[in-house]
Amino acid sequence: MRETKQAPATPEARAAMHEMMAAFEAFKGANDARLDEIERKSSADALLEEKVARIDQAVASAQARLDRVVSEGRRPELGGGAPSDPAFGRATSPKEGEETKAAFDGYLKTGQSFGLELKAGLSTASNSAGYVVPEQTERAIERRLMAGSPMREIATVRTVGAGVFRKPVSTAGVASGWVAETAARPETDPATLALLEFPSADLYANPAATQSLLDDAMIDLDEWLAAEVEDAFAAQETQAFVTGDGINKPRGFLSYDIVAEADHDWGEIGYVASGAAGAFAATSPTDRLIDLVYAPKAQYRPNGRFVMNRKTVSAVRKFKDADGNYIWQPAQRAGETASLLGYRVTEIETMPDIAADSAAIAFGDFQRGYLIVDRAGVRVLRDPYSAKPYVLFYTTKRVGGGVQNFDAIKVMKFSAT
């Protein structure tokens, strides 16, 4: 996971923070009244249930606004980062970078490609050819994706130069044992190694512009292109990192075999049952969440976090612990995330909803558990013909991903057993 420096809180971030705290206080009061009525009458009044749901929506909206403000504050300016940024493993002189950027601007405006590097497609029939964007533009796209993609914020991201990244991992450590000072040292079993492969696949977007926009001297075309492809790339990536089948896309962590934690083996994701089919257990649902926290080994808990969508967050927001404290807490400072049982919560909308046998909640150290592989180089092909009078910019980058440590991520399966 690449480090993202936290900027000082802006007035908008502080306002969003105050809105979030006020909404949560109102939610606690309404939900406490609902729980008291359930305890007295075995059910809550419909109007009170509606009030709690309405305030819960306000809490979710305030959290979304806070997340948006924080995300926008992390988005870098195009010029951010030195040309020799080690995260990208390349270095160019300032003069060379300026010449390449000027040539790329000319290509975007007029189609003149002098001074740019052409990358051919994978086959003669491929239409994925294009010109390699300058390092400044590639850094802008990568860093915007880092700020806008929740999986990129929590996973390990590696930039490589090959189409397939291969990583050897140890599935069983080297054996050891105790011996007397003069006793023989028998040979121990070697470590068991597995080779994981993370192929990269093409991710593309096709933003459009008018010729008048391209001719506008006040428009920074590099920044415009980075902003246009950011949302499209982030949405497609996030979906693939969670549920992708690995065919022409990354493999999501929920696409691996999901088995009961007691039967978990390497190559599988272990699960903890919620206690009821398509729902939390009727009594002590918090206990099952605690079981999920303790499913990974101790070394994966310090950096552990919950991952779920906003509907699931809405469900767990109502839970209390044995002392009557809400187990979900909003962020205490701008730039932080909400927490559940003291662990950070990352909302990813592509996580499944609570339903029978769904894995709607994940917990673990995603930095050690999931790997995102970026193939160096972003390509752009200018197309002024397909959608006249608009000019299309067929933009492609190559991305792969998959689980790199099956012990680090566990899920909650909404089933009785």
Side-chain angles (χ1 to χ4, degrees), residues 225-238:
L225 181 64
E228 286 291 306
V229 302
E230 173 192 359
D231 289 341
F233 280 179
Q236 289 292 329
E237 280 189 347
T238 303

Side-chain angles (χ1 to χ4, degrees), residues 65-310:
R65 180 192 173 199
L66 180 60
D67 292 342
R68 176 182 58 80
V69 170
V70 172
S71 179
E72 289 178 352
R74 287 198 299 260
R75 286 189 175 98
E77 297 296 330
L78 185 63
S84 58
D85 191 337
F88 295 90
R90 300 181 304 280
T92 58
S93 66
K95 181 178 180 182
E96 181 183 351
E98 291 174 3
E99 291 175 350
T100 304
K101 186 178 185 305
F104 187 67
D105 286 344
Y107 173 68
L108 295 181
K109 289 177 181 292
T110 67
Q112 296 294 324
S113 58
F114 178 76
L116 295 178
E117 179 186 357
L118 176 66
K119 284 290 185 182
L122 297 178
S123 68
T124 56
S126 173
N127 62 353
S128 61
Y131 291 94
V132 178
V133 304
E135 287 185 28
Q136 299 97 318
T137 308
E138 183 178 354
R139 284 198 300 271
I141 293 173
E142 295 288 351
R143 288 176 175 171
R144 278 178 169 271
L145 285 175
M146 186 66 66
S149 170
M151 277 298 292
R152 283 183 175 270
E153 289 186 8
I154 65 177
T156 295
V157 182
R158 183 184 296 273
T159 302
V160 299
V164 178
F165 177 69
R166 295 177 175 86
K167 179 180 180 179
V169 296
S170 175
T171 60
V174 177
S176 60
W178 297 99
V179 294
E181 180 180 1
T182 59
R185 270 63 172 173
E187 183 178 351
T188 59
D189 294 333
T192 302
L193 298 177
L195 184 65
L196 300 181
E197 293 190 349
F198 301 90
S200 56
D202 277 2
L203 176 64
Y204 73 92
N206 213 12
T210 62
Q211 190 59 50
S212 60
L213 182 145
L214 300 177
D215 292 338
D216 190 340
M218 299 299 293
I219 299 295
D220 188 329
L221 293 179
D222 282 353
E223 179 68 17
W224 169 82
L225 181 64
E228 286 291 306
V229 302
E230 173 192 359
D231 289 341
F233 280 179
Q236 289 292 329
E237 280 189 347
T238 303
Q239 177 75 52
F241 296 152
V242 174
T243 60
D245 59 11
I247 301 174
N248 297 324
K249 62 176 70 70
R251 186 170 183 183
F253 63 89
L254 293 184
S255 71
Y256 293 84
D257 291 337
I258 297 177
V259 301
E261 175 59 20
D263 301 323
H264 161 258
D265 200 355
W266 185 264
E268 301 169 332
I269 301 293
Y271 78 79
V272 172
S274 67
F280 283 98
T283 58
S284 303
T286 301
D287 291 350
R288 298 307 177 102
L289 290 170
I290 294 174
D291 291 341
L292 178 60
V293 168
Y294 284 91
K297 295 178 181 178
Q299 63 262 38
Y300 303 115
R301 288 198 294 273
N303 196 38
R305 66 175 64 236
F306 286 95
V307 172
M308 63 191 83
N309 67 24
R310 58 190 171 89

